[in-house]
Each structure stands twice: as structure tokens, then as C-alpha cells.
């Protein structure tokens, strides 16, 4: 294979991931602060695909994948497991928080690790591929109230076509499962993974994709091509965007991203308030800022380009759409709000000093 052929091969991209400071310094000049972060223990997993590393001239993207010492700090209200997923673990690989849907964690591996990842306590740690999914299939079979299965991880699209085909076939054999989604950042960080063969697997099992985009700078020609290919195969796609300070917390950046997504047939679905995960304080915007941003979009741009702004209720109350300030109240450093069951949850939201 020539060099250009191998760059277009997803397995080459994974095998040649950048996972040390030395490798990173071969492609980008680090600031003193970034270099210092590699001195001690890097608490969160670090890796970037060569493809995504090629986009890091964007300051916004660079902040989301290169470690800094901020991630060693424990901010107000932060937790290793902010969404209380461990308390809702039904099997080693299933999180059953809501009545009719389950999160199925089929791998802990990602090709590129985001510094603000909600699941940073597990991603890139432990075995790359989970085995013994049988217990989880049996659980879903036994629970006929489950209609929606969301494959996540880690990134499920780092599994091979045949493993994915096996998992999806098994899920499709369960009559009460009506919806299968896969959560993935692969079209962004590893777009060459989106082959015609993979698209055929999705089409065969009528899968929806829930993609993870944070900035218009991620819309490289390769990523646009990957989404166009998925769309040509008839695959439904939505996008989730985490609101991140200094990355995408301004109206123009969000408009650019959301229109860019519509152009490649991806519907902006959620704008997520950043979860209070350990070491993420430098990424979190005040809730008031999220409300102001989403209200600045409503009416101003295509309604299809506007996602729903949600807080994932800390402790496991599910995602709650936040529409305005009258829906929330402040108690000291917390925002208090009510989820779909009418239960009160608290999101740590210290007043800016
Ligand atoms: C986000 C999430 C889902 C899916 O929620 P939707 O609002 O339907 O997209 C399911 N289970 C868990 C645990 C989740 O965090
Ligand atoms: S792609 Fe998703 S699971 Fe993987 S590190 Fe980023 S946020 Fe976490």
C-alpha cells in the first residue's frame, strides 16, 4: 500500500494513533502548559487519530483532545460518574435508566479520547473489547418494556463489521426492540471507517446513528463524505453537541456547526450542558449561558438547525430539556430543576467569581 492508501485505511489510522507526548510533538507544537500536563500522571486516557490530529490547527478542537493540568483539579460538585450510571447498571454492559430504553456499552475503546468525556472513568481503560454480551441480550429479551437500544461505549464503530453485524442481528431477533441507535464519533475522528460494507450492515438492521460533533472545524471533506455516504445508504443521523467553554459557546460557532450538519443530512438533536465529570470545570459554562445561547438561535435560524438544550440530571434523572430560566431555581452553588418524573435534581453551577 502507498502512504496515501494506508491513510485511508481505518485500521492503519488506529494502529498509528498518537498516544504519547513525543508522537504528538511530531505533528503539532505544544504550549508549555500542554507539555506540563504530560509530566505527571495523565488521569484520562489520551489518543488522537492521525486524521483528527490533522485538524488540530483549530484551537477549538485542540482544547478538546490535548490534556491540560486543569483535568487534575476536582471542581465543585464533580464526580467520576456524574450520571449515576453505576447505580443503574442492569448487567456489566447495560445501563437501564429510563423505562423503555437502554444504553448498551459494547466496548470501552475510542480511536480518539475527548477530555470532557462523561465516561472518562472507563473509556480506554480495561479490556478494549467486551466479551460475554450474552447476559445483556438475555436481559433485553426478558424486559419486554425495552423498545429502544442505544449502543455506546467507548465507540461501537471501532468494532469490526462482523462483530457489529452479530450484535445487531441478535438485537433485531428480539421482537419488542423497535429502535436501534449507535452513538459514535467515528465519522468525525475516523471517517475512513465508513465503508460501503459498513453502511450495508446498518441498512440491513435499520440502524440510526447518533453522532457526536462539537465544532464546524470537524466538518472536513472526509467527514462530509462519510456522512454523505451514510445518507446515500438511507441511514438516519442526528448529532449531539456538548456545550464547551472556549470551544463552541458562542452563537456564530453554533450556527456554523448546525447548518453544516444539516448540509450533510445530520439533524442537530441535543445541545448538552457539560456533565460535571471529574476534571471538567474549565469546560463548563453557566447554565444561564446555555439558555441564552439556545434562545439566540430560536426563530433566528432554520428550526431544523436548532437542537434541544438539555441537562443530563446528575445522579441519573435522565436528560431534561431546559427551555428558560423560569424552569430552574438557584440554591447556593446549585441549579435545581425537575425531571420527567417530577423528581428534583441538582446541577452544580457555582456563580462566576
Ligand atoms: C442519553 C441516554 C439515553 C437516550 O436518551 P434519548 O433522550 O432518548 O436520546 C438512554 N439511556 C441513557 C442512560 C442515556 O444517558
Ligand atoms: S468519543 Fe464519546 S465515548 Fe469516546 S471519549 Fe469522546 S465522548 Fe467519550
Amino acid at each position: 500500500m502507498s502512504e496515501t492508501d494506508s491513510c485511508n485505511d481505518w485500521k492503519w489510522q488506529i494502529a498509528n494513533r498518537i498516544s504519547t507526548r513525543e508522537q504528538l510533538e511530531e505533528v503539532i507544537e505544544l504550549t508549555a502548559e500542554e507539555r506540563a500536563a504530560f509530566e505527571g500522571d495523565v488521569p484520562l486516557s489520551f489518543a488522537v487519530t492521525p486524521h483528527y490530529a490533522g485538524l488540530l490547527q483549530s484551537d477549538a478542537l485542540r482544547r478538546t483532545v490535548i490534556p491540560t493540568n486543569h483535568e487534575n483539579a476536582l471542581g465543585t460538585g464533580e464526580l467520576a460518574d456524574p450520571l449515576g450510571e453505576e447505580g443503574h447498571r442492569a448487567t456489566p454492559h447495560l445501563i437501564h435508566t429510563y423505562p423503555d430504553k437502554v444504553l448498551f456499552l459494547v466496548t470501552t475503546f475510542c480511536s480518539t479520547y475527548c477530555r470532557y468525556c462523561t465516561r472518562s472513568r472507563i473509556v480506554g481503560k480495561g479490556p478494549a473489547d467486551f466479551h460475554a454480551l450474552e447476559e445483556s441480550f438475555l436481559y433485553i429479551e426478558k424486559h419486554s418494556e425495552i423498545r429502544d437500544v442505544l449502543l455506546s461505549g467507548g465507540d461501537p464503530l471501532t468494532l469490526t463489521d462482523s462483530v457489529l453485524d452479530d450484535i445487531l442481528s441478535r438485537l433485531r431477533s428480539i421482537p419488542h426492540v423497535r429502535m436501534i441507535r449507535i452513538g459514535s464519533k467515528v465519522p468525525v475522528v475516523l471517517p475512513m471507517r465508513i465503508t460501503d460494507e459498513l453502511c450495508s450492515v446498518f441498512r440491513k438492521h435499520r440502524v440510526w446513528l447518533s453522532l457526536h460533533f462539537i465544532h464546524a472545524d470537524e466538518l472536513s471533506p472526509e467527514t462530509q463524505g462519510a456522512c454523505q455516504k451514510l445518507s446515500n445508504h438511507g441511514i438516519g443521523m442526528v448529532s449531539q453537541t456538548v456545550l464547551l467553554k472556549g470551544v463552541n459557546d458562542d452563537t456564530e460557532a453554533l450556527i456554523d456547526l448546525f447548518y453544516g450538519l444539516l448540509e450533510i443530512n445530520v439533524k442537530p438533536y441535543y445541545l448538552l450542558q457539560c456533565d460535571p465529570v471529574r476534571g471538567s470545570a474549565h469546560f463548563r459554562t453557566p447554565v444561564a449561558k446555555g439558555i441564552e445561547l439556545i434562545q439566540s438561535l430560536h426563530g433566528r435560524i432554520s428550526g431544523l438547525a436548532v437542537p434541544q438544550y438539555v441537562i443530563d440530571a446528575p445522579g441519573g434523572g435522565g436528560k431534561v430539556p431546559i427551555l428558560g430560566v423560569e424552569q430552574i431555581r438557584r440554591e447556593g452553588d446549585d441549579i435545581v430543576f425537575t425531571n420527567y418524573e417530577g423528581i428534583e435534581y441538582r446541577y452544580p453551577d457555582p456563580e462566576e467569581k
Side-chain angles (χ1 to χ4, degrees):
M1 260 197 282
S2 74
E3 180 68 9
T4 38
D5 284 344
S6 49
C7 289
N8 288 327
D9 177 70
W10 69 275
K11 290 185 174 160
W12 182 93
Q13 287 274 336
I14 286 187
N16 289 279
R17 288 194 311 164
I18 291 157
S19 58
T20 64
R21 191 198 72 188
E22 289 73 21
Q23 291 167 336
L24 185 59
E25 290 199 296
E26 281 170 29
V27 293
I28 187 174
E29 198 177 327
L30 295 183
T31 64
E33 200 198 3
E34 288 165 342
R35 204 169 305 117
F38 283 99
E39 307 275 286
D41 267 353
V42 181
L44 312 182
S45 301
F46 169 69
V48 185
T49 55
H51 170 80
Y52 205 71
L55 305 176
L56 295 186
Q57 71 279 7
S58 158
D59 279 339
L61 302 193
R62 153 176 205 145
R63 237 168 265 189
T64 66
V65 291
I66 299 184
T68 60
N69 278 329
H70 297 296
E71 63 194 47
N72 291 306
L74 187 68
T76 312
E78 287 181 353
L79 297 166
D81 174 24
L83 305 182
E85 291 183 334
E86 299 307 332
H88 287 107
R89 237 182 230 277
T91 73
H93 308 121
L94 280 185
I95 313 288
H96 195 178
T97 301
Y98 297 92
D100 93 332
K101 50 196 171 190
V102 281
L103 196 61
F104 193 175
L105 306 178
V106 292
T107 178
T108 54
F109 183 87
C110 291
S111 62
T112 297
Y113 292 104
C114 315
R115 310 320 294 165
Y116 51 84
C117 177
T118 296
R119 257 171 244 126
S120 58
R121 70 186 185 282
I122 46 179
V123 294
K125 309 193 173 186
D129 285 347
F130 278 138
H131 297 287
L133 299 178
E134 189 52 29
E135 189 187 349
S136 302
F137 292 122
L138 292 173
Y139 180 92
I140 298 170
E141 264 163 3
K142 215 162 48 191
H143 289 258
S144 57
E145 73 276 18
I146 297 171
R147 283 179 284 228
D148 180 5
V149 177
L150 172 51
L151 300 188
S152 185
D155 201 316
L157 299 192
T158 58
L159 301 173
T160 62
D161 293 359
S162 70
V163 169
L164 283 168
D165 193 18
D166 287 349
I167 293 173
L168 295 168
S169 301
R170 183 68 200 272
L171 289 173
R172 273 293 170 223
S173 75
I174 305 173
H176 54 263
V177 172
R178 302 178 68 171
M179 167 82 176
I180 301 176
R181 295 187 258 179
I182 301 179
S184 177
K185 199 173 167 84
V186 152
V188 183
V189 293
L190 193 63
M192 52 298 288
R193 172 72 186 98
I194 309 302
T195 58
D196 286 321
E197 294 73 30
L198 180 65
C199 291
S200 307
V201 172
F202 292 159
R203 201 173 49 202
K204 174 169 139 199
H205 300 293
R206 287 175 292 111
V207 167
W208 279 72
L209 294 183
S210 180
L211 304 178
H212 173 186
F213 281 92
I214 45 142
H215 196 277
D217 289 346
E218 295 182 320
L219 300 170
S220 66
E222 293 83 357
T223 289
Q224 296 191 11
C227 291
Q228 254 133 23
K229 183 181 292 196
L230 287 160
S231 179
N232 292 344
H233 281 268
I235 312 301
M237 293 176 283
V238 297
S239 165
Q240 309 205 142
T241 300
V242 182
L243 182 58
L244 298 166
K245 193 196 284 184
V247 175
N248 58 17
D249 61 338
D250 78 77
T251 302
E252 291 311 314
L254 292 177
I255 292 177
D256 245 15
L257 172 62
F258 297 148
Y259 266 111
L261 290 171
L262 286 185
E263 283 165 353
I264 51 174
N265 287 356
V266 179
K267 162 77 182 101
Y269 176 42
Y270 282 149
L271 177 65
L272 290 148
Q273 174 67 17
C274 184
D275 293 324
V277 66
R278 200 169 45 188
S280 66
H282 56 298
F283 281 125
R284 295 205 304 278
T285 54
V287 171
K289 177 79 182 182
I291 292 173
E292 179 196 312
L293 283 169
I294 204 72
Q295 288 182 345
S296 77
L297 302 181
H298 278 290
R300 182 156 165 224
I301 60 170
S302 167
L304 276 171
V306 184
Q308 196 158 46
Y309 174 51
V310 296
I311 304 182
D312 216 333
K319 296 177 185 70
V320 178
I322 300 295
L323 305 168
V325 283
E326 53 297 333
Q327 196 191 343
I328 58 176
R329 86 173 183 269
R330 171 168 292 285
E331 279 183 18
D333 274 348
D334 287 345
I335 288 289
V336 184
F337 60 105
T338 304
N339 82 343
Y340 68 100
E341 300 162 302
I343 300 172
E344 277 195 353
Y345 284 87
R346 287 167 180 270
Y347 177 89
D349 194 53
E351 299 225 49
E352 294 207 304
K353 289 164 199 94

